[in-house]
Amino acid sequence: MILFPAIDLIGGKVVRLERGDRARCKVYSDNPAAVARHFLGQGAEWVHVVDLSSAFEEDEEARAANDEAIRAICAVEGLSVDVGGGVRSLARIDELRDMGAKRIALGTVLVREPAFAEVVARGFGGLIVADVAAKDGEVKVNGWRDGVSRSLDEVVGELRGQGFRHLVFTDIARDGMQTGIDVEAYRRVAGLAGFPVVASGGITSLDDIRALAAAGDDVIEGAIVGRALYEGNFSLADALAAAHGETGEGGAAAPAEGVATSDVPASARPERSDA
């Protein structure tokens, strides 16, 4: 099972949101590349980067700062980068590929424009990841702000038919809340997709990671871990061990060097405010 430590970006800063809510944002670092290097040093092979400024259609300055951060992360030698957030055109896919992204996640455009989704799946193959987020069985798009009156079953079935072979499923109600995971939800989505999925949202303990790994390679391709790492619930080294079925220390860890809130000026790290 691949473990993807998450780097969510707003205006070039590393942040985490609660339930995808832009107004409930906590800043962890203003040096995304340093965070990526720290994760690499702990044993990560992949990172999951989300361009929230593009997803929220923020101003050009914020998006440009995120592009700079993405380039810097992709330049970290030895680390593969999965990038998503506001990717809605072939031109943007090409830009991110040129920056060095090894996987590119698309969400909103796949749901709203099925013809475009077919073109992308056919033309880019394994480079593309379908990014599906849902709450109470209803798919949400546009930074999780909008419903599309389509069920999770319908959307995942459609993506399967279009030929997608990588899919991230986010349980919005659990994302950023450290409430634990629902393995059966991922098992169900994997069954709908016909291939293993990447789990996102709610991981709070090593037991959550172990439970996902125990579900098997036919259910879980990987798992994205965010707030639990940044808050020091466990170390990335122990999380990687759990993902590989090994025995880790299992204890809490201090927030990682390079990602701790203490590394960010007090004025830039409110508990719940805009980044």
Side-chain angles (χ1 to χ4, degrees):
M1 184 176 85
I2 303 169
L3 196 74
F4 298 83
I7 300 178
D8 290 1
L9 300 172
I10 289 180
K13 293 183 171 67
V14 180
V15 306
R16 293 299 292 172
L17 307 183
E18 291 185 6
R19 296 176 179 170
D21 187 347
R22 177 65 174 83
R24 298 164 71 88
C25 174
K26 186 173 183 179
V27 178
Y28 287 94
S29 175
D30 59 2
N31 191 337
V35 174
R37 285 191 294 271
H38 174 80
F39 288 153
L40 176 66
Q42 293 293 301
E45 297 178 354
W46 283 85
V47 292
H48 176 72
V49 177
V50 183
D51 180 355
L52 290 172
S53 291
S54 289
F56 291 134
E57 300 177 304
E58 295 186 336
D59 61 37
E60 183 176 347
E61 182 179 357
R63 297 196 307 272
N66 277 3
D67 277 356
E68 182 179 352
I70 292 167
R71 288 190 189 92
I73 293 168
C74 288
V76 176
E77 189 173 350
L79 197 62
S80 295
V81 182
D82 170 30
V83 181
V87 183
R88 294 166 188 163
S89 69
L90 296 177
R92 184 59 175 166
I93 293 171
D94 285 336
E95 287 176 358
L96 291 170
R97 182 172 58 180
D98 290 346
M99 289 180 195
K102 300 301 184 186
R103 289 188 184 182
I104 300 170
L106 282 73
T108 298
V109 70
L110 299 186
V111 178
R112 287 187 163 164
E113 300 181 33
F116 179 83
E118 289 186 20
V119 170
V120 168
R122 186 169 58 248
F124 292 93
L127 176 70
I128 301 299
V129 179
D131 189 349
V132 179
K135 184 176 182 180
D136 299 326
E138 181 185 354
V139 170
K140 301 287 187 179
V141 298
N142 195 24
W144 306 349
R145 292 170 293 182
D146 301 332
V148 289
S149 299
R150 298 185 66 190
S151 71
L152 178 64
D153 293 25
E154 179 187 358
V155 169
V156 173
E158 184 175 87
L159 292 170
R160 176 180 183 172
Q162 291 163 341
F164 287 92
R165 290 297 174 262
H166 296 296
L167 187 148
V168 173
F169 172 61
T170 302
D171 184 345
I172 295 172
R174 295 173 183 265
D175 186 75
M177 298 302 293
Q178 298 195 74
T179 54
I181 49 94
D182 181 354
V183 174
E184 289 309 310
Y186 296 110
R187 195 183 305 278
R188 182 166 170 274
V189 173
L192 292 167
F195 54 85
V197 301
V198 176
S200 174
I203 292 176
T204 186
S205 69
L206 293 176
D207 284 343
D208 289 330
I209 297 172
R210 293 185 186 110
L212 290 169
D217 292 340
D218 59 334
V219 174
I220 302 294
E221 180 189 17
I224 296 170
V225 182
R227 186 180 292 272
L229 278 179
Y230 291 89
E231 297 290 344
N233 291 24
F234 46 74
S235 72
L236 180 55
D238 283 350
L240 288 163
H244 297 148
E246 302 166 6
T247 302
E249 293 299 320
E257 181 182 354
V259 300
T261 55
S262 59
D263 292 337
V264 184
S267 60
R269 49 182 167 88
E271 286 296 318
R272 290 193 180 99
S273 66
D274 288 349

